[in-house]
Amino acid sequence: MKLMIDKEIDAEVIHHYDKNLMITSKCNVITIKYEQEVKNINLPLSSLKKVVSVFRFARRAVRTDKSVFVPNYVDSKLNSLFGIYQNNFYKIDWPSMVVKKTGCFRQGRVPLHQSICQTEKGNLFVGEYSPNKMNISSAVWKSNDAGDSWNIVFEFSREKARHIHGCFWDAFEKKVWVCTGDFKGECHIVCADEDFVNVEWLSQGSQKWRTANLIFTENYVYYGMDSPLTQSYICRVDRSNRKLEQLT
């Protein structure tokens, strides 16, 4: 198979792409192309960071190039975007492009890409991702009003996790799965109901459970290990008995 470049886009991150919608960003500028309409919005950024961010390498150094955004649909039409930039939670209404800050992380500037999930009920979940220099717990945040407000629904103790790699919606079991990292005793996969009343721990914290994304099928949950500390493999969890199997 040979891959070819179809076109180049003037962006640093592509957050979402389908035949009707593309969401991209470059520094603090979010671009939404929905059907035949294109609109941009500038998220708040300090004067100093704006000056520094003129250069690509500088944007990377101060992380002003990093944001994560996901679309929210109402009656099959784009209604708004939810995202995180420079530690802050934002909601961008469509098509007005009105921006509202709705919260902020306790630690970390931005989660990993593709790590925000939305359930069939419309609940949003996102986890704190940072070096955790404060040595505090890592929180899973939940919104039940399309990103207008946020509350901590669950916390991983510092002994259990350094940070959260992502929250993922499992349409088969109707549960939220959460992955954590990075070192011995910190790599876990848990699954829970949408209120995190019943939380199931599938792992014991070893590197074989360290991952940054999950793929759900009817009988198995697949993932690629995300460990530079040991040989990484493609793995899967059997839904029937929760046993982990190494495939490659």
Side-chain angles (χ1 to χ4, degrees):
M1 181 177 66
K2 183 178 181 180
L3 299 178
M4 299 180 64
I5 297 175
D6 180 54
K7 61 180 178 180
E8 294 186 12
I9 300 170
D10 185 23
E12 289 167 329
V13 180
I14 298 177
H15 302 276
H16 178 91
Y17 181 84
D18 62 40
K19 65 179 181 179
N20 295 317
L21 174 65
M22 181 168 66
I23 304 169
T24 63
S25 64
K26 186 174 183 179
C27 193
N28 66 321
V29 181
I30 309 299
T31 301
I32 306 169
K33 181 178 181 181
Y34 182 57
E35 296 179 338
Q36 300 303 314
E37 196 167 5
V38 180
K39 294 189 176 185
N40 301 311
I41 190 73
N42 287 53
L43 298 179
L45 196 63
S46 70
S47 298
L48 177 59
K49 285 188 175 181
K50 285 181 181 178
V51 173
V52 172
S53 297
V54 170
F55 303 100
R56 176 67 182 92
F57 72 88
R59 291 198 297 273
R60 179 59 181 147
V62 297
R63 298 296 192 269
T64 55
D65 60 339
K66 294 297 181 182
S67 60
V68 177
F69 277 85
V70 295
N72 177 52
Y73 293 91
V74 175
D75 297 326
S76 301
K77 291 290 185 179
L78 181 64
N79 176 265
S80 59
L81 270 64
F82 160 71
I84 301 175
Y85 182 65
Q86 292 288 295
N87 179 254
N88 295 312
F89 296 3
Y90 291 102
K91 184 174 182 178
I92 305 174
D93 288 330
W94 178 268
S96 68
M97 298 299 282
V98 172
V99 177
K100 179 170 65 173
K101 178 183 172 182
T102 61
C104 64
F105 276 154
R106 302 173 309 165
Q107 57 177 335
R109 293 186 183 93
V110 69
L112 292 178
H113 291 290
Q114 299 182 334
S115 67
I116 302 171
C117 78
Q118 185 172 27
T119 72
E120 293 171 1
K121 295 179 181 179
N123 293 322
L124 289 161
F125 294 89
V126 63
E128 292 177 333
Y129 177 80
S130 79
N132 204 344
K133 295 179 181 179
M134 299 167 63
N135 279 317
I136 63 174
S137 62
S138 294
V140 176
W141 292 78
K142 175 185 177 180
S143 172
N144 58 10
D145 54 12
D148 284 321
S149 64
W150 291 85
N151 292 291
I152 293 175
V153 70
F154 186 77
E155 293 183 67
F156 291 90
S157 69
R158 180 61 187 90
E159 293 73 25
K160 287 289 188 180
R162 182 188 186 201
H163 52 217
I164 296 171
H165 286 172
C167 301
F168 308 96
W169 174 243
D170 179 1
F172 295 95
E173 294 189 21
K174 312 299 182 186
K175 291 183 178 180
V176 178
W177 292 56
V178 184
C179 306
T180 70
D182 272 335
F183 303 113
K184 184 178 180 180
E186 300 175 345
C187 304
H188 294 281
I189 297 178
V190 306
C191 66
D193 60 89
E194 294 186 52
D195 294 318
F196 277 73
V197 173
N198 299 303
V199 180
E200 179 185 5
W201 292 75
L202 279 69
S203 56
Q204 295 78 42
S206 68
Q207 291 295 303
K208 65 182 180 181
W209 293 94
R210 179 175 170 177
T211 186
N213 212 324
L214 300 171
I215 298 174
F216 300 104
T217 66
E218 184 176 359
N219 297 314
Y220 299 95
V221 179
Y222 293 85
Y223 66 85
M225 288 173 58
D226 176 44
S227 177
L229 306 177
T230 186
Q231 178 67 47
S232 289
Y233 301 95
I234 302 298
C235 303
R236 71 180 183 185
V237 177
D238 189 325
R239 291 188 184 276
S240 65
N241 55 25
R242 298 311 206 212
K243 288 185 178 180
L244 182 65
E245 180 183 1
Q246 177 183 306
L247 301 180
T248 63

